[in-house]
Amino acid sequence: MSLHGTVAGAAPVHAPSPTGKGRTCTASPEPVSGQAREVLGIAERTMRELDVNAVVLRVTKDGKEIVTEGLGQSMTGVPATPGMHFRAGSVAIVYMGITLLQLVDEEKARLDDPVSRWLPDAPHGDKITLRMLGDSTSGLHDYVTDPKFVAALEAAPFRHWTPQQLLAYPEAHPLWYEPGTDWSYSHANFVLLGAALEKISGMPLDELLRQRVMSPLGLADTRNGFTPEIQPPVLHAFTEERGPYEESTFWNPSWTTAPGAVITTHICDLARSAEAVGTGELLSPAAFRTQLDPGTVGLGGGTKNCPASVCRKNTQAKHFGLGVLVLNGWILTNPSFSGYAAVQAYLPAEGLAIAVATTHGPKSPPENTAQTLMNRIATALAPGHPAPGAP
């Protein structure tokens, strides 16, 4: 199956994304007080409780800074600072969803086009639509839950993965359900969506996302990488996923999503991203409504063929949109892998944006510690609204 025209096992050859000069991202001036001090107190307590190595965070209200700070250490003796870059994982999935909706508004594609229109060799492409890729209702198995994939990834964390190699895992399984009738998260959806966006636009995905999302928002420090390199200064990551506690900063992230959407960022860009995504800044009002509810509400909950742990229930209060999570009125995404965890979240009712990134310590719990910290900050700053993680 050919999705990107790459040779199996080889990294795709594209020029680096043009970037320009990024914004300065520095800590709030001392001394901090009021809400800023409250946020830092929550972060300091959470770091100790969860054995987190480092926290970088930025909180804004109506676009104005409440606090920006780095706590802990990137490496032994190297303080974590807000300007350090880290892997942002599923944040790029949000950007792909935005780009898809823009292209639909421009009548270059339709959400209900079968994937086979753009990718004739895609698995089940005649049954799965672009909408189903974007809102994760395709029924494709998630390769990161396949024991064979996990074993291969853990055995060789520096390996470069091609789309063909990744999609071989879900292709080996039957669909969880008839496409569009249920909901289950699958990384395979976004590998395919990235390839489809390239076909629809006639442009490499990294350039497409840069032109349509990163550049308009001024996210000059948010960049795709075709190699494991991270722009310095780097927030280093560590994990015990393979047993021993070890550095994982430069493990190859090619498996995480489509080539061209494997991004790194810093906390100021992440907070700006949270504001823009949460307000629909890059979308028409109709497209923004679709992003927040593409038809997933009411789906999921488990069936005879799909356990509830896979086909999770989507409710009005808590559901997956088109590339985003909508939880108790918050609009967010929360990547977590290879020792990195992050969250960008926005509460439209309060104009409140919270961006957090954390790195794991030797005794950190397996949960997304950035999400845990974000929930605690949300509870403190927006007490009239349930936090994303609240029941």
Side-chain angles (χ1 to χ4, degrees):
M1 176 177 171
S2 177
L3 295 178
H4 289 266
T6 57
V7 178
V13 178
H14 291 303
S17 299
T19 53
K21 186 177 181 181
R23 71 180 67 199
T24 300
C25 188
T26 57
S28 302
E30 296 286 350
V32 293
S33 60
Q35 287 187 324
R37 182 63 259 168
E38 184 178 15
V39 168
L40 293 183
I42 293 168
E44 290 161 354
R45 292 191 295 273
T46 301
M47 283 187 69
R48 293 191 296 270
E49 178 187 335
L50 302 182
D51 191 40
V52 169
N53 269 352
V55 167
V56 286
L57 59 83
R58 180 172 169 87
V59 181
T60 66
K61 170 83 169 177
D62 297 325
K64 297 179 180 179
E65 179 189 63
I66 292 176
V67 65
T68 305
E69 189 57 276
L71 303 170
Q73 299 185 106
S74 172
M75 298 184 292
T76 303
V78 179
T81 63
M84 288 180 167
H85 299 90
F86 50 86
R87 303 203 186 279
S90 58
V91 172
I93 289 172
V94 182
Y95 298 166
M96 284 195 279
I98 288 171
T99 299
L100 173 60
L101 289 166
Q102 290 175 345
L103 292 168
V104 168
D105 266 1
E106 295 164 14
E107 300 184 349
K108 295 179 179 178
R110 296 173 300 174
L111 280 180
D112 296 318
D113 280 342
V115 176
S116 58
R117 176 182 175 187
W118 307 103
L119 304 172
D121 297 330
H124 309 284
D126 58 333
K127 297 181 178 180
I128 296 170
T129 66
L130 295 174
R131 182 193 303 268
M132 294 172 195
L133 295 181
D135 67 14
S136 222
T137 58
S138 70
L140 290 169
H141 276 237
D142 190 356
Y143 54 81
V144 303
T145 66
D146 189 311
K148 291 182 179 179
F149 171 77
V150 173
L153 182 66
E154 291 183 348
F158 296 101
R159 172 182 175 177
H160 176 84
W161 291 83
T162 66
Q164 294 88 346
Q165 292 165 343
L166 295 171
L167 291 170
Y169 290 93
E171 285 188 87
H173 297 275
L175 291 169
W176 277 117
Y177 45 82
E178 188 68 18
T181 64
D182 212 322
W183 184 90
S184 56
Y185 190 85
S186 175
H187 287 71
N189 292 324
F190 303 104
V191 173
L192 285 167
L193 181 57
L197 290 173
E198 290 191 336
K199 292 290 187 179
I200 295 165
S201 66
M203 184 181 297
L205 185 60
D206 60 318
E207 177 66 11
L208 181 66
L209 297 182
R210 187 187 70 82
Q211 286 191 13
R212 288 182 172 266
V213 180
M214 279 83 112
S215 288
L217 298 181
L219 307 182
D221 277 275
T222 302
R223 311 179 183 193
N224 168 71
F226 287 111
T227 74
E229 183 181 8
I230 301 177
Q231 172 196 4
V234 177
L235 183 67
H236 285 248
F238 304 83
T239 185
E240 68 296 323
E241 290 175 14
R242 303 197 309 160
Y245 184 67
E246 59 187 333
E247 178 159 5
S248 50
T249 307
F250 298 109
W251 286 2
N252 197 314
S254 54
W255 60 272
T256 56
T257 191
V262 182
I263 62 172
T264 57
T265 192
H266 64 30
I267 205 66
C268 293
D269 271 13
L270 194 65
R272 173 73 180 103
S273 173
E275 294 164 359
V277 171
T279 57
E281 183 173 332
L282 297 177
L283 295 173
S284 67
F288 187 41
R289 289 193 296 270
T290 298
Q291 182 185 35
L292 300 186
D293 185 4
T296 51
V297 174
L299 295 179
T303 67
K304 180 176 69 174
N305 297 322
C306 187
S309 60
V310 174
C311 289
R312 298 181 181 179
K313 185 69 174 178
N314 281 248
T315 66
Q316 188 64 48
K318 295 189 175 186
H319 62 273
F320 193 78
L322 208 149
V324 298
L325 287 164
V326 181
L327 304 178
N328 291 332
W330 293 81
I331 301 166
L332 71 150
T333 192
N334 51 2
S336 180
F337 62 97
S338 301
Y340 285 106
V343 63
Q344 67 168 40
Y346 187 80
L347 181 62
E350 297 289 340
L352 182 63
I354 302 175
V356 178
T358 60
T359 57
H360 288 222
K363 297 179 181 178
S364 290
E367 67 193 65
N368 182 323
T369 53
Q371 177 75 63
T372 301
L373 174 53
M374 180 266 154
N375 283 331
R376 294 175 180 181
I377 295 170
T379 299
L381 298 190
H385 303 270

